[in-house]
Amino acid sequence: MAVITFSALNRRRVNNRVKKRNPHWVGLSTGIVAVGYREDPVLLEGCLKSLRAIRYRRNQRIVLVVDGNEDQDEYMAKVFEKVFASQGAAIFRPHFLCKDRSANDRERQELVHQIAYHPGPVCVVQPHHGKRSAMYTGFAALQQQGIEAAVVTDSDTYLDPHSCTELAFALAESPIVGAATGDIRIYNTGTWVSFLSSLRYWFAFNLERGAQSYHGAVNCVSGPLGIYRMSIVADVMDSWVEQSFLGVLCTYGDDRHLTNLVLAKGFKIKFSPYAICYTDTPVRFIAWVTQQTRWSKSFFREIPIQLGCIHLHSLWMTYALLYQLIYPMMMIYNLVNCIYFGSGLQIAWWMFSIIFVGLLKTAYAVRMTGDKRFFFTTLYGFLYMLGYVPAKMYAALTLYDNSWGTRQVIFLFDVIIAVAAA
């Protein structure tokens, strides 16, 4: 109930601010940084067209960074050129990375200057080195130009035309708001996995991040849609891009780590339901579990950083951290305990309590959206128990493994199936 209450209070607060906003309001200057690696050309074109349609008057820069400069990466630059042909688009093809201090410093400075001051949209096709290196290039250009806030997105995401306006307005609430995120929705809902994920996304953002936003402590500015003050990014971008864990350079979890670096500096992070984007999600069960495993690993990896700054923020941040850490384990414990040691009444009460809480959340979602498909939310419980909880446990046991994880997850479920069959 507390989550619903704080989420509703946050929505009312945002609604009141939006209603009172001057129609001629002009906020911080922004630049959009989109990154991609061998993206589906149809999705990429849709993403770029959505960026072209942005209606925020102070958006001064659109930068697409292609994470790869081999022949099979070149099509992304051609799609970019096609979409922005009438707006003076330029394509740069450096043979080095902006983050690479071993490169010629003069070359790096000249590249950043050219990207920053080219009058139209820019595409940078750089050597493959992961998403962080690609984002770093975009951040460096925005910093050079003196832009005040960076809007980040992915190459498979479609931004609402007013998303930048709403994100910038979230930052304008107070100078101590350092970042913000919005309502991330799913467009590929053609399978049960992706459909149930789309329902879960609504709760993750409009309920959980909404409640966190009321306390100024959103725990993850998700990659598909976020905004950061460039003054903060400039301070942390070098340590962020070089983050390592157990001696290995971190490849995923870039959004959560950057979020935590903002929180660690004492800044607040907000969520606005008016900033909207549409992205895709895995449609197959194994791919979805692999995604959840990566996200869980980044969550566990970031716990020490969050623990180091919880004294700077509301107690709700501590609650949210403990809830994410303990709740999946409690679910497993209660399930096993009820099956092997519980009476029929205890099992019935446990099931009733879970269903009751789920129905409360569902009722809130239906009331807010009018979408009766949220009554299918209870089915997500099967995905949660069969996929998310094992993925979280597996992630906690394999933090040393920094790979993408698909083969390992398939092996995990082979083992689970074999044990169950035995």
Side-chain angles (χ1 to χ4, degrees):
M1 282 299 294
V3 175
I4 295 176
T5 300
F6 287 128
S7 173
L9 290 172
N10 181 73
R11 184 175 288 268
R12 186 172 69 176
R13 176 189 287 174
V14 174
N15 286 345
N16 290 337
R17 291 191 69 239
V18 169
K19 288 177 182 178
K20 295 176 182 178
R21 183 169 65 198
N22 187 317
H24 304 293
W25 173 84
V26 176
L28 302 175
S29 60
T30 64
I32 303 174
V33 178
V35 300
Y37 172 70
R38 297 183 183 174
E39 189 61 77
D40 181 298
V42 175
L43 298 183
L44 175 62
E45 184 173 352
C47 169
L48 296 177
K49 285 181 176 178
S50 77
L51 302 187
R52 188 180 63 188
I54 289 295
R55 291 294 176 263
Y56 182 52
R57 285 178 290 173
R58 293 208 67 195
N59 187 65
Q60 299 179 7
R61 171 66 61 214
I62 294 175
V63 181
L64 170 69
V65 186
V66 178
D67 181 30
N69 63 349
E70 299 181 11
D71 291 342
Q72 54 265 52
D73 302 302
E74 191 61 31
Y75 74 93
M76 294 186 68
K78 292 180 179 178
V79 173
F80 178 88
E81 198 169 29
K82 170 187 172 183
V83 172
F84 292 106
S86 63
Q87 295 179 275
I91 299 174
F92 297 91
R93 295 179 174 84
H95 61 275
F96 55 87
L97 301 171
C98 281
K99 81 171 192 69
D100 190 356
R101 298 299 178 183
S102 64
N104 184 294
D105 194 56
R106 183 175 179 179
E107 278 188 308
R108 288 196 302 109
Q109 290 180 4
E110 183 178 347
L111 172 67
V112 171
H113 182 85
Q114 289 177 336
I115 297 171
Y117 293 104
H118 179 77
V122 169
C123 175
V124 183
V125 183
Q126 67 177 36
H128 174 57
H129 201 263
K131 183 178 178 181
R132 294 191 199 210
S133 294
M135 291 177 68
Y136 187 97
T137 299
F139 286 155
L142 300 191
Q143 181 187 7
Q144 174 76 25
Q145 192 176 348
I147 287 174
E148 296 169 287
V151 175
V152 296
T153 189
D154 295 329
S155 57
D156 60 358
T157 302
Y158 307 154
L159 271 60
D160 180 85
H162 303 289
S163 56
C164 286
T165 302
E166 301 303 334
L167 288 174
F169 191 62
L171 288 190
E173 180 177 331
S174 169
I176 65 170
V177 178
T181 190
D183 185 4
I184 299 177
R185 303 177 182 180
I186 302 299
Y187 55 71
N188 60 327
T189 57
T191 69
W192 276 105
V193 170
S194 59
F195 170 66
L196 294 176
S197 292
S198 72
L199 302 183
R200 169 60 190 151
Y201 265 60
W202 191 92
F203 290 105
F205 288 93
N206 291 275
L207 205 62
E208 294 166 18
R209 282 171 176 77
Q212 294 166 9
S213 177
Y214 183 77
H215 298 279
V218 173
N219 64 10
C220 185
V221 177
S222 297
L225 183 62
I227 188 170
Y228 299 89
R229 290 188 187 272
M230 274 306 304
S231 57
I232 304 173
V233 173
D235 286 343
V236 304
M237 57 193 285
D238 288 319
S239 61
W240 168 74
V241 79
E242 296 295 345
Q243 183 194 14
S244 63
F245 184 76
L246 299 178
V248 179
L249 195 68
C250 295
T251 55
Y252 47 78
D254 50 275
D255 49 3
R256 188 176 288 274
H257 187 53
L258 188 53
T259 301
N260 280 336
L261 292 177
V262 174
L263 291 170
K265 286 188 170 292
F267 287 91
K268 306 300 181 184
I269 299 181
K270 295 290 186 174
F271 162 79
S272 172
Y274 291 103
I276 299 169
C277 77
Y278 299 84
T279 192
D280 75 341
T281 192
V283 297
R284 304 292 184 187
F285 180 71
I286 292 297
W288 178 80
V289 173
T290 302
Q291 178 196 67
Q292 300 304 312
T293 303
R294 289 196 304 272
W295 289 357
S296 295
K297 284 185 178 183
S298 66
F299 165 75
F300 286 123
R301 193 173 63 202
E302 296 294 317
I303 287 177
I305 300 175
Q306 284 203 321
L307 289 175
C309 66
I310 56 176
H311 65 286
L312 301 174
H313 298 281
S314 164
L315 285 174
W316 191 261
M317 179 175 169
T318 305
Y319 163 77
L321 175 62
L322 292 175
Y323 178 84
Q324 285 186 281
L325 181 63
I326 297 173
Y327 184 72
M329 312 308 172
M330 288 180 59
M331 288 291 289
I332 287 290
Y333 171 80
N334 287 333
L335 177 62
V336 173
N337 186 61
C338 282
I339 290 175
Y340 287 99
F341 306 108
S343 64
L345 182 60
Q346 288 175 318
I347 295 174
W349 175 250
W350 181 69
M351 292 295 294
F352 172 78
S353 62
I354 292 175
I355 293 172
F356 178 72
V357 172
L359 287 175
L360 281 179
K361 293 181 178 180
T362 298
Y364 178 74
V366 172
R367 181 182 178 186
M368 297 304 301
T369 66
D371 190 348
K372 295 181 180 179
R373 291 180 300 174
F374 279 101
F375 285 110
F376 287 103
T377 300
T378 52
L379 297 179
Y380 181 81
F382 292 100
L383 271 183
Y384 186 90
M385 295 301 295
L386 293 175
Y388 177 79
V389 172
K392 195 121 186 171
M393 296 175 67
Y394 179 72
L397 296 173
T398 58
L399 284 176
Y400 60 86
D401 183 3
N402 202 34
S403 64
W404 213 238
T406 304
R407 291 183 180 179
Q408 290 86 342
V409 170
I410 293 175
F411 173 75
L412 168 66
F413 277 91
D414 285 342
V415 171
I416 291 174
I417 292 170
V419 171

Tab-separated table of all heavy atoms in Angstrom, residues 6 76 84 113 120 192 199 269 315 337 341 354 379 383 392 414:
chain	number	residue	atom	x	y	z
A	6	PHE	N	2.696	6.474	-2.275
A	6	PHE	CA	3.753	7.406	-2.672
A	6	PHE	C	3.772	7.616	-4.190
A	6	PHE	O	4.069	8.715	-4.670
A	6	PHE	CB	5.111	6.913	-2.181
A	6	PHE	CG	5.317	7.057	-0.706
A	6	PHE	CD1	5.728	5.977	0.061
A	6	PHE	CD2	5.093	8.280	-0.082
A	6	PHE	CE1	5.906	6.110	1.431
A	6	PHE	CE2	5.279	8.425	1.288
A	6	PHE	CZ	5.688	7.337	2.049
A	76	MET	N	24.311	1.297	-40.608
A	76	MET	CA	23.706	2.191	-39.615
A	76	MET	C	23.959	3.654	-39.975
A	76	MET	O	23.081	4.514	-39.827
A	76	MET	CB	24.238	1.874	-38.212
A	76	MET	CG	23.810	0.508	-37.703
A	76	MET	SD	24.275	0.178	-35.974
A	76	MET	CE	23.221	1.328	-35.101
A	84	PHE	N	18.315	11.965	-41.891
A	84	PHE	CA	18.657	13.365	-41.621
A	84	PHE	C	19.283	14.074	-42.833
A	84	PHE	O	19.953	15.095	-42.666
A	84	PHE	CB	19.619	13.443	-40.428
A	84	PHE	CG	19.000	13.061	-39.120
A	84	PHE	CD1	19.312	11.845	-38.525
A	84	PHE	CD2	18.112	13.910	-38.485
A	84	PHE	CE1	18.749	11.489	-37.303
A	84	PHE	CE2	17.541	13.566	-37.265
A	84	PHE	CZ	17.851	12.354	-36.681
A	113	HIS	N	35.675	18.448	-31.016
A	113	HIS	CA	35.317	19.807	-31.448
A	113	HIS	C	34.453	19.761	-32.707
A	113	HIS	O	33.455	20.491	-32.812
A	113	HIS	CB	36.595	20.618	-31.698
A	113	HIS	CG	36.327	22.039	-32.090
A	113	HIS	ND1	36.110	23.035	-31.172
A	113	HIS	CD2	36.226	22.635	-33.325
A	113	HIS	CE1	35.889	24.173	-31.799
A	113	HIS	NE2	35.956	23.970	-33.101
A	120	GLY	N	24.489	20.409	-37.799
A	120	GLY	CA	23.383	19.466	-37.928
A	120	GLY	C	23.597	18.206	-37.116
A	120	GLY	O	24.552	18.089	-36.343
A	192	TRP	N	3.646	-14.165	-25.095
A	192	TRP	CA	3.253	-14.046	-23.688
A	192	TRP	C	4.377	-13.451	-22.846
A	192	TRP	O	4.139	-12.695	-21.915
A	192	TRP	CB	2.837	-15.405	-23.144
A	192	TRP	CG	1.412	-15.726	-23.444
A	192	TRP	CD1	0.944	-16.598	-24.383
A	192	TRP	CD2	0.251	-15.149	-22.830
A	192	TRP	NE1	-0.430	-16.609	-24.387
A	192	TRP	CE2	-0.889	-15.728	-23.443
A	192	TRP	CE3	0.068	-14.205	-21.820
A	192	TRP	CZ2	-2.180	-15.387	-23.077
A	192	TRP	CZ3	-1.227	-13.862	-21.453
A	192	TRP	CH2	-2.341	-14.447	-22.079
A	199	LEU	N	3.401	-5.414	-19.097
A	199	LEU	CA	2.623	-5.100	-17.900
A	199	LEU	C	3.548	-4.822	-16.718
A	199	LEU	O	3.332	-3.886	-15.944
A	199	LEU	CB	1.676	-6.246	-17.562
A	199	LEU	CG	0.668	-6.656	-18.642
A	199	LEU	CD1	-0.239	-7.767	-18.114
A	199	LEU	CD2	-0.159	-5.467	-19.111
A	269	ILE	N	16.953	12.171	-7.925
A	269	ILE	CA	16.583	11.646	-9.251
A	269	ILE	C	15.075	11.459	-9.291
A	269	ILE	O	14.482	10.899	-8.370
A	269	ILE	CB	17.305	10.320	-9.549
A	269	ILE	CG1	18.821	10.536	-9.535
A	269	ILE	CG2	16.866	9.767	-10.909
A	269	ILE	CD1	19.626	9.289	-9.834
A	315	LEU	N	14.869	7.480	3.673
A	315	LEU	CA	14.836	6.088	4.130
A	315	LEU	C	14.176	5.174	3.104
A	315	LEU	O	14.393	3.954	3.121
A	315	LEU	CB	14.084	5.990	5.467
A	315	LEU	CG	14.837	6.478	6.709
A	315	LEU	CD1	13.919	6.451	7.918
A	315	LEU	CD2	16.077	5.620	6.954
A	337	ASN	N	8.817	-23.686	2.201
A	337	ASN	CA	8.329	-23.944	3.554
A	337	ASN	C	6.860	-24.370	3.550
A	337	ASN	O	6.474	-25.303	4.274
A	337	ASN	CB	8.505	-22.684	4.405
A	337	ASN	CG	8.155	-22.917	5.862
A	337	ASN	OD1	8.778	-23.733	6.536
A	337	ASN	ND2	7.138	-22.218	6.344
A	341	PHE	N	6.344	-28.047	4.737
A	341	PHE	CA	6.063	-28.013	6.168
A	341	PHE	C	4.735	-27.350	6.516
A	341	PHE	O	4.291	-27.433	7.668
A	341	PHE	CB	7.197	-27.264	6.914
A	341	PHE	CG	8.556	-27.812	6.626
A	341	PHE	CD1	9.444	-27.092	5.824
A	341	PHE	CD2	8.953	-29.039	7.127
A	341	PHE	CE1	10.709	-27.595	5.552
A	341	PHE	CE2	10.216	-29.542	6.856
A	341	PHE	CZ	11.096	-28.831	6.060
A	354	ILE	N	-0.686	-13.128	-1.513
A	354	ILE	CA	-0.008	-12.746	-2.750
A	354	ILE	C	-1.028	-12.241	-3.778
A	354	ILE	O	-0.833	-11.204	-4.423
A	354	ILE	CB	0.788	-13.939	-3.320
A	354	ILE	CG1	1.969	-14.271	-2.394
A	354	ILE	CG2	1.291	-13.629	-4.730
A	354	ILE	CD1	2.736	-15.492	-2.814
A	379	LEU	N	-0.529	-13.553	-14.025
A	379	LEU	CA	0.223	-14.575	-14.762
A	379	LEU	C	1.721	-14.295	-14.739
A	379	LEU	O	2.529	-15.208	-14.941
A	379	LEU	CB	-0.263	-14.657	-16.211
A	379	LEU	CG	-1.725	-15.093	-16.410
A	379	LEU	CD1	-2.061	-15.097	-17.896
A	379	LEU	CD2	-1.952	-16.477	-15.803
A	383	LEU	N	6.201	-16.282	-14.536
A	383	LEU	CA	7.494	-15.848	-15.067
A	383	LEU	C	8.444	-15.505	-13.926
A	383	LEU	O	9.635	-15.832	-13.967
A	383	LEU	CB	7.317	-14.621	-15.957
A	383	LEU	CG	7.027	-14.819	-17.447
A	383	LEU	CD1	6.967	-13.474	-18.149
A	383	LEU	CD2	8.084	-15.693	-18.093
A	392	LYS	N	18.044	-14.366	-10.549
A	392	LYS	CA	18.625	-13.537	-9.491
A	392	LYS	C	19.593	-14.353	-8.639
A	392	LYS	O	20.684	-13.878	-8.283
A	392	LYS	CB	17.516	-12.968	-8.613
A	392	LYS	CG	17.952	-11.830	-7.711
A	392	LYS	CD	17.155	-10.599	-7.991
A	392	LYS	CE	17.628	-9.399	-7.223
A	392	LYS	NZ	16.992	-8.156	-7.663
A	414	ASP	N	18.909	-26.268	-18.098
A	414	ASP	CA	19.093	-27.703	-18.359
A	414	ASP	C	19.304	-28.450	-17.039
A	414	ASP	O	18.769	-29.539	-16.831
A	414	ASP	CB	20.281	-27.920	-19.301
A	414	ASP	CG	19.968	-27.561	-20.734
A	414	ASP	OD1	18.753	-27.471	-21.069
A	414	ASP	OD2	20.908	-27.365	-21.536
